[in-house]
Amino acid sequence: MFDKSKVKLGIAPIAWTNDDMPDLGKENTFEQCVSEMALAGFTGSEVGNKYPKDPAELKKALDLRGMQICNQWFSSFLLTQPFEEVEKACRAQLAFLQALGSKIIGFSEQSYSVQGQIDTPVFGHKYVLNDAEWEKLCTGLNRLGKIAKEEYGICLTYHHHMGTVVQTAEETARLMEGTDPEYVSLLFDTGHFAYCGEDPLEMVKKHIGRIRHVHLKDIRPEVVETVKKGNKSFLDGVRMGAFTIPGDGCIDFEPIFAVLEKAGYEGYMLVEAEQDPAKANPLEYAIRARKFIAEKTGL
């Protein structure tokens, strides 16, 4: 069994309101979101677009509900913007997270990304880096990871993601090999590996030594296949229900949990299943996810 004092459970606000498509869940308020997270039995949250920008205001609202911020997405543009601009934006977010007591920042390189392009098919259109670009990306991540750790006490975790320059098993391995383990860790996302055809169990086995944050996400393979055959975009797939909560799709989570448990994983495991809240009631799905995790892990 996992050590309950070292492994905590969180859930992402994207099930209530989608940052990339704000019409999904536009009726759901911040207060409703975090209240229902707590009601479903979670203690951690990532940051959504409706969350207060003042860390003191946000922390007060979370403290009232026994919640805390455990990570925040950061869009880096190390390949297409001057490093100084990326560093400035990163420092601002690190200071925000530090004020909230969070220990994790989740990086995703968004240069050349097609994940947010509603008219670009997610399969077959992603950008592939050349050697010089890999060197630039890894060097930049090492520099920012050093700043995050030494100046803010925060761990930089890299989030492999559909439609971005780090999506596949090969690309994830190259990023891990090209970065310093002291400054760059992995945000392991079951759903994104499964979506692009990789085996999440093999990925967790391969990278277990670098994983510092976990996203628990399932996929509906029939929807993913429709996205692929229909040349649909990543955002189209979200609307169609490509993602769902763990236990509601095709991923076998038990052996994945077993690898994390055996390795003594510490930190948050976070349910992140972006769906249309009008079709998948966020509270209902949050409760179902929490029950599934309890059954499989004892947490």
Side-chain angles (χ1 to χ4, degrees):
M1 289 293 186
F2 284 99
D3 185 337
K4 291 184 179 181
S5 67
K6 295 179 179 178
V7 181
K8 298 179 181 180
L9 299 178
I11 190 164
I14 201 165
W16 281 262
T17 304
N18 194 294
D19 289 358
D20 296 318
M21 296 176 287
D23 65 296
L24 294 185
K26 62 182 182 296
E27 70 281 1
N28 295 326
T29 65
F30 159 70
E31 290 82 5
Q32 175 189 345
C33 174
V34 290
S35 295
E36 291 186 352
M37 288 175 170
L39 186 61
F42 293 94
T43 60
S45 171
E46 296 187 349
V47 181
N49 62 1
K50 291 184 178 179
Y51 282 38
K53 302 299 187 284
D54 177 359
E57 181 185 350
L58 176 54
K59 189 173 187 305
K60 180 180 179 181
L62 294 171
D63 286 347
L64 285 170
R65 296 163 174 86
M67 301 281 295
Q68 66 181 139
I69 295 299
C70 58
N71 172 44
Q72 184 179 11
W73 170 284
F74 179 76
S75 294
S76 63
F77 294 88
L78 289 164
L79 299 174
T80 51
Q81 290 181 357
F83 179 83
E84 292 71 24
E85 289 183 15
V86 181
E87 180 187 351
K88 183 179 179 181
C90 181
R91 283 183 178 277
Q93 189 160 316
L94 286 167
F96 178 76
L97 288 169
Q98 186 182 51
L100 291 163
S102 177
K103 299 299 181 185
I104 300 288
I105 186 169
F107 262 62
S108 178
E109 180 63 24
Q110 288 296 296
S111 299
Y112 314 118
S113 172
V114 301
Q115 78 175 70
Q117 297 177 9
I118 193 67
D119 296 322
T120 304
V122 69
F123 286 102
H125 289 74
K126 73 176 293 300
Y127 187 86
V128 178
L129 300 181
N130 60 39
D131 289 345
E133 288 167 328
W134 272 113
E135 178 66 26
K136 186 175 184 180
L137 176 60
C138 291
T139 298
L141 288 172
N142 282 334
R143 289 176 67 184
L144 292 173
K146 189 173 191 291
I147 290 169
K149 180 181 180 180
E150 296 182 354
E151 298 185 36
Y152 297 89
I154 292 174
C155 175
L156 188 162
T157 62
Y158 193 91
H159 187 352
H160 58 96
H161 198 288
M162 288 297 298
T164 71
V165 294
V166 183
Q167 169 183 296
T168 66
E170 183 181 354
E171 289 164 341
T172 303
R174 181 154 184 179
L175 186 87
M176 291 295 98
E177 290 162 5
T179 52
D180 188 336
E182 187 174 349
Y183 300 126
V184 179
S185 298
L186 182 66
L187 190 164
F188 168 67
D189 189 306
T190 55
H192 280 282
F193 274 135
Y195 200 122
C196 71
E198 308 291 5
D199 182 350
L201 177 58
E202 291 305 310
M203 294 298 95
V204 73
K205 287 178 179 177
K206 180 177 178 65
H207 298 293
I208 187 62
R210 298 286 290 275
I211 296 171
R212 295 293 177 270
H213 197 65
V214 174
H215 278 177
L216 300 176
K217 179 187 299 175
D218 217 333
I219 64 165
R220 297 184 175 100
E222 68 280 4
V223 180
V224 172
E225 191 61 24
T226 300
V227 170
K228 198 170 190 176
K229 288 183 176 178
N231 290 318
K232 300 294 186 180
S233 68
F234 177 75
L235 298 181
D236 285 333
V238 171
R239 286 188 184 275
M240 293 162 60
F243 292 121
T244 185
I245 55 169
D248 191 46
C250 68
I251 298 173
D252 184 359
F253 280 88
E254 286 194 56
I256 294 171
F257 287 138
V259 173
L260 290 164
E261 180 187 352
K262 186 177 180 181
Y265 174 79
E266 297 182 15
Y268 267 93
M269 295 196 296
L270 182 126
V271 175
E272 191 210 27
E274 53 263 51
Q275 301 186 74
D276 182 348
K279 300 175 182 176
N281 180 273
L283 177 58
E284 177 190 343
Y285 273 72
I287 291 170
R288 285 175 56 188
R290 184 66 186 85
K291 184 180 178 183
F292 175 82
I293 296 168
E295 290 172 351
K296 299 301 181 184
T297 67
L299 291 170

